mmCIF file with all atom_site columns, all heavy atoms in Angstrom:
data_model
loop_
_atom_site.group_PDB
_atom_site.id
_atom_site.type_symbol
_atom_site.label_atom_id
_atom_site.label_alt_id
_atom_site.label_comp_id
_atom_site.label_asym_id
_atom_site.label_entity_id
_atom_site.label_seq_id
_atom_site.pdbx_PDB_ins_code
_atom_site.Cartn_x
_atom_site.Cartn_y
_atom_site.Cartn_z
_atom_site.occupancy
_atom_site.B_iso_or_equiv
_atom_site.pdbx_formal_charge
_atom_site.auth_seq_id
_atom_site.auth_comp_id
_atom_site.auth_asym_id
_atom_site.auth_atom_id
_atom_site.pdbx_PDB_model_num
ATOM 1   N N   . ALA A 1 141 ? -18.199 72.280 -26.710 1.00 91.00 ? 141 ALA A N   1
ATOM 2   C CA  . ALA A 1 141 ? -17.769 71.525 -27.892 1.00 91.00 ? 141 ALA A CA  1
ATOM 3   C C   . ALA A 1 141 ? -18.498 72.040 -29.128 1.00 91.00 ? 141 ALA A C   1
ATOM 4   O O   . ALA A 1 141 ? -19.647 72.466 -29.061 1.00 91.00 ? 141 ALA A O   1
ATOM 5   C CB  . ALA A 1 141 ? -18.040 70.041 -27.691 1.00 91.00 ? 141 ALA A CB  1
ATOM 6   N N   . GLN A 1 142 ? -17.803 71.984 -30.258 1.00 95.00 ? 142 GLN A N   1
ATOM 7   C CA  . GLN A 1 142 ? -18.395 72.371 -31.538 1.00 95.00 ? 142 GLN A CA  1
ATOM 8   C C   . GLN A 1 142 ? -18.925 71.154 -32.292 1.00 95.00 ? 142 GLN A C   1
ATOM 9   O O   . GLN A 1 142 ? -19.830 71.276 -33.106 1.00 95.00 ? 142 GLN A O   1
ATOM 10  C CB  . GLN A 1 142 ? -17.340 73.072 -32.397 1.00 95.00 ? 142 GLN A CB  1
ATOM 11  C CG  . GLN A 1 142 ? -16.781 74.331 -31.770 1.00 95.00 ? 142 GLN A CG  1
ATOM 12  C CD  . GLN A 1 142 ? -15.466 74.723 -32.412 1.00 95.00 ? 142 GLN A CD  1
ATOM 13  O OE1 . GLN A 1 142 ? -14.419 74.153 -32.117 1.00 95.00 ? 142 GLN A OE1 1
ATOM 14  N NE2 . GLN A 1 142 ? -15.516 75.701 -33.303 1.00 95.00 ? 142 GLN A NE2 1
ATOM 15  N N   . PHE A 1 143 ? -18.319 69.991 -32.019 1.00 96.00 ? 143 PHE A N   1
ATOM 16  C CA  . PHE A 1 143 ? -18.662 68.776 -32.756 1.00 96.00 ? 143 PHE A CA  1
ATOM 17  C C   . PHE A 1 143 ? -18.813 67.594 -31.799 1.00 96.00 ? 143 PHE A C   1
ATOM 18  O O   . PHE A 1 143 ? -18.189 67.568 -30.741 1.00 96.00 ? 143 PHE A O   1
ATOM 19  C CB  . PHE A 1 143 ? -17.566 68.438 -33.778 1.00 96.00 ? 143 PHE A CB  1
ATOM 20  C CG  . PHE A 1 143 ? -17.387 69.488 -34.830 1.00 96.00 ? 143 PHE A CG  1
ATOM 21  C CD1 . PHE A 1 143 ? -16.451 70.494 -34.651 1.00 96.00 ? 143 PHE A CD1 1
ATOM 22  C CD2 . PHE A 1 143 ? -18.155 69.481 -35.982 1.00 96.00 ? 143 PHE A CD2 1
ATOM 23  C CE1 . PHE A 1 143 ? -16.283 71.483 -35.609 1.00 96.00 ? 143 PHE A CE1 1
ATOM 24  C CE2 . PHE A 1 143 ? -17.993 70.462 -36.941 1.00 96.00 ? 143 PHE A CE2 1
ATOM 25  C CZ  . PHE A 1 143 ? -17.052 71.461 -36.758 1.00 96.00 ? 143 PHE A CZ  1
ATOM 26  N N   . MET A 1 144 ? -19.607 66.624 -32.216 1.00 95.00 ? 144 MET A N   1
ATOM 27  C CA  . MET A 1 144 ? -19.749 65.376 -31.479 1.00 95.00 ? 144 MET A CA  1
ATOM 28  C C   . MET A 1 144 ? -19.346 64.226 -32.393 1.00 95.00 ? 144 MET A C   1
ATOM 29  O O   . MET A 1 144 ? -19.833 64.113 -33.525 1.00 95.00 ? 144 MET A O   1
ATOM 30  C CB  . MET A 1 144 ? -21.195 65.168 -31.008 1.00 95.00 ? 144 MET A CB  1
ATOM 31  C CG  . MET A 1 144 ? -21.396 63.836 -30.303 1.00 95.00 ? 144 MET A CG  1
ATOM 32  S SD  . MET A 1 144 ? -23.048 63.633 -29.581 1.00 95.00 ? 144 MET A SD  1
ATOM 33  C CE  . MET A 1 144 ? -24.035 63.382 -31.044 1.00 95.00 ? 144 MET A CE  1
ATOM 34  N N   . LEU A 1 145 ? -18.459 63.376 -31.896 1.00 95.00 ? 145 LEU A N   1
ATOM 35  C CA  . LEU A 1 145 ? -18.033 62.181 -32.617 1.00 95.00 ? 145 LEU A CA  1
ATOM 36  C C   . LEU A 1 145 ? -18.715 60.989 -31.948 1.00 95.00 ? 145 LEU A C   1
ATOM 37  O O   . LEU A 1 145 ? -18.624 60.829 -30.728 1.00 95.00 ? 145 LEU A O   1
ATOM 38  C CB  . LEU A 1 145 ? -16.506 62.043 -32.538 1.00 95.00 ? 145 LEU A CB  1
ATOM 39  C CG  . LEU A 1 145 ? -15.863 60.912 -33.335 1.00 95.00 ? 145 LEU A CG  1
ATOM 40  C CD1 . LEU A 1 145 ? -16.090 61.088 -34.834 1.00 95.00 ? 145 LEU A CD1 1
ATOM 41  C CD2 . LEU A 1 145 ? -14.371 60.849 -33.027 1.00 95.00 ? 145 LEU A CD2 1
ATOM 42  N N   . TYR A 1 146 ? -19.405 60.178 -32.727 1.00 95.00 ? 146 TYR A N   1
ATOM 43  C CA  . TYR A 1 146 ? -20.134 59.053 -32.153 1.00 95.00 ? 146 TYR A CA  1
ATOM 44  C C   . TYR A 1 146 ? -20.152 57.887 -33.132 1.00 95.00 ? 146 TYR A C   1
ATOM 45  O O   . TYR A 1 146 ? -19.848 58.045 -34.314 1.00 95.00 ? 146 TYR A O   1
ATOM 46  C CB  . TYR A 1 146 ? -21.555 59.455 -31.763 1.00 95.00 ? 146 TYR A CB  1
ATOM 47  C CG  . TYR A 1 146 ? -22.420 59.909 -32.916 1.00 95.00 ? 146 TYR A CG  1
ATOM 48  C CD1 . TYR A 1 146 ? -23.342 59.041 -33.504 1.00 95.00 ? 146 TYR A CD1 1
ATOM 49  C CD2 . TYR A 1 146 ? -22.334 61.196 -33.412 1.00 95.00 ? 146 TYR A CD2 1
ATOM 50  C CE1 . TYR A 1 146 ? -24.137 59.459 -34.558 1.00 95.00 ? 146 TYR A CE1 1
ATOM 51  C CE2 . TYR A 1 146 ? -23.123 61.625 -34.458 1.00 95.00 ? 146 TYR A CE2 1
ATOM 52  C CZ  . TYR A 1 146 ? -24.031 60.749 -35.028 1.00 95.00 ? 146 TYR A CZ  1
ATOM 53  O OH  . TYR A 1 146 ? -24.813 61.161 -36.076 1.00 95.00 ? 146 TYR A OH  1
ATOM 54  N N   . GLY A 1 147 ? -20.498 56.715 -32.619 1.00 94.00 ? 147 GLY A N   1
ATOM 55  C CA  . GLY A 1 147 ? -20.513 55.554 -33.499 1.00 94.00 ? 147 GLY A CA  1
ATOM 56  C C   . GLY A 1 147 ? -21.169 54.344 -32.891 1.00 94.00 ? 147 GLY A C   1
ATOM 57  O O   . GLY A 1 147 ? -21.538 54.317 -31.723 1.00 94.00 ? 147 GLY A O   1
ATOM 58  N N   . ASN A 1 148 ? -21.293 53.321 -33.737 1.00 93.00 ? 148 ASN A N   1
ATOM 59  C CA  . ASN A 1 148 ? -21.891 52.036 -33.355 1.00 93.00 ? 148 ASN A CA  1
ATOM 60  C C   . ASN A 1 148 ? -21.003 50.902 -33.826 1.00 93.00 ? 148 ASN A C   1
ATOM 61  O O   . ASN A 1 148 ? -20.408 50.973 -34.906 1.00 93.00 ? 148 ASN A O   1
ATOM 62  C CB  . ASN A 1 148 ? -23.263 51.859 -34.029 1.00 93.00 ? 148 ASN A CB  1
ATOM 63  C CG  . ASN A 1 148 ? -24.261 52.900 -33.605 1.00 93.00 ? 148 ASN A CG  1
ATOM 64  O OD1 . ASN A 1 148 ? -24.423 53.159 -32.424 1.00 93.00 ? 148 ASN A OD1 1
ATOM 65  N ND2 . ASN A 1 148 ? -24.911 53.514 -34.575 1.00 93.00 ? 148 ASN A ND2 1
ATOM 66  N N   . LEU A 1 149 ? -20.938 49.863 -33.020 1.00 90.00 ? 149 LEU A N   1
ATOM 67  C CA  . LEU A 1 149 ? -20.261 48.628 -33.407 1.00 90.00 ? 149 LEU A CA  1
ATOM 68  C C   . LEU A 1 149 ? -21.314 47.538 -33.425 1.00 90.00 ? 149 LEU A C   1
ATOM 69  O O   . LEU A 1 149 ? -21.950 47.263 -32.404 1.00 90.00 ? 149 LEU A O   1
ATOM 70  C CB  . LEU A 1 149 ? -19.143 48.284 -32.416 1.00 90.00 ? 149 LEU A CB  1
ATOM 71  C CG  . LEU A 1 149 ? -18.360 47.012 -32.688 1.00 90.00 ? 149 LEU A CG  1
ATOM 72  C CD1 . LEU A 1 149 ? -17.647 47.077 -34.038 1.00 90.00 ? 149 LEU A CD1 1
ATOM 73  C CD2 . LEU A 1 149 ? -17.360 46.750 -31.574 1.00 90.00 ? 149 LEU A CD2 1
ATOM 74  N N   . SER A 1 150 ? -21.538 46.940 -34.589 1.00 90.00 ? 150 SER A N   1
ATOM 75  C CA  . SER A 1 150 ? -22.549 45.896 -34.715 1.00 90.00 ? 150 SER A CA  1
ATOM 76  C C   . SER A 1 150 ? -21.921 44.639 -35.282 1.00 90.00 ? 150 SER A C   1
ATOM 77  O O   . SER A 1 150 ? -20.803 44.663 -35.794 1.00 90.00 ? 150 SER A O   1
ATOM 78  C CB  . SER A 1 150 ? -23.696 46.373 -35.611 1.00 90.00 ? 150 SER A CB  1
ATOM 79  O OG  . SER A 1 150 ? -23.210 46.736 -36.877 1.00 90.00 ? 150 SER A OG  1
ATOM 80  N N   . SER A 1 151 ? -22.647 43.533 -35.180 1.00 87.00 ? 151 SER A N   1
ATOM 81  C CA  . SER A 1 151 ? -22.128 42.274 -35.704 1.00 87.00 ? 151 SER A CA  1
ATOM 82  C C   . SER A 1 151 ? -23.262 41.411 -36.224 1.00 87.00 ? 151 SER A C   1
ATOM 83  O O   . SER A 1 151 ? -24.411 41.544 -35.809 1.00 87.00 ? 151 SER A O   1
ATOM 84  C CB  . SER A 1 151 ? -21.353 41.506 -34.631 1.00 87.00 ? 151 SER A CB  1
ATOM 85  O OG  . SER A 1 151 ? -22.216 41.056 -33.605 1.00 87.00 ? 151 SER A OG  1
ATOM 86  N N   . ILE A 1 152 ? -22.902 40.524 -37.133 1.00 87.00 ? 152 ILE A N   1
ATOM 87  C CA  . ILE A 1 152 ? -23.804 39.481 -37.623 1.00 87.00 ? 152 ILE A CA  1
ATOM 88  C C   . ILE A 1 152 ? -23.051 38.172 -37.459 1.00 87.00 ? 152 ILE A C   1
ATOM 89  O O   . ILE A 1 152 ? -21.913 38.037 -37.929 1.00 87.00 ? 152 ILE A O   1
ATOM 90  C CB  . ILE A 1 152 ? -24.186 39.701 -39.101 1.00 87.00 ? 152 ILE A CB  1
ATOM 91  C CG1 . ILE A 1 152 ? -24.915 41.035 -39.272 1.00 87.00 ? 152 ILE A CG1 1
ATOM 92  C CG2 . ILE A 1 152 ? -25.038 38.542 -39.612 1.00 87.00 ? 152 ILE A CG2 1
ATOM 93  C CD1 . ILE A 1 152 ? -25.150 41.430 -40.721 1.00 87.00 ? 152 ILE A CD1 1
ATOM 94  N N   . VAL A 1 153 ? -23.659 37.218 -36.778 1.00 84.00 ? 153 VAL A N   1
ATOM 95  C CA  . VAL A 1 153 ? -23.030 35.922 -36.539 1.00 84.00 ? 153 VAL A CA  1
ATOM 96  C C   . VAL A 1 153 ? -23.852 34.851 -37.234 1.00 84.00 ? 153 VAL A C   1
ATOM 97  O O   . VAL A 1 153 ? -25.064 34.757 -37.047 1.00 84.00 ? 153 VAL A O   1
ATOM 98  C CB  . VAL A 1 153 ? -22.942 35.612 -35.027 1.00 84.00 ? 153 VAL A CB  1
ATOM 99  C CG1 . VAL A 1 153 ? -22.299 34.259 -34.790 1.00 84.00 ? 153 VAL A CG1 1
ATOM 100 C CG2 . VAL A 1 153 ? -22.182 36.717 -34.303 1.00 84.00 ? 153 VAL A CG2 1
#
Side-chain angles (χ1 to χ4, degrees):
Q142 300 161 281
F143 298 93
M144 177 174 73
L145 185 63
Y146 62 100
N148 297 312
L149 179 61
S150 58
S151 68
I152 299 172
V153 179

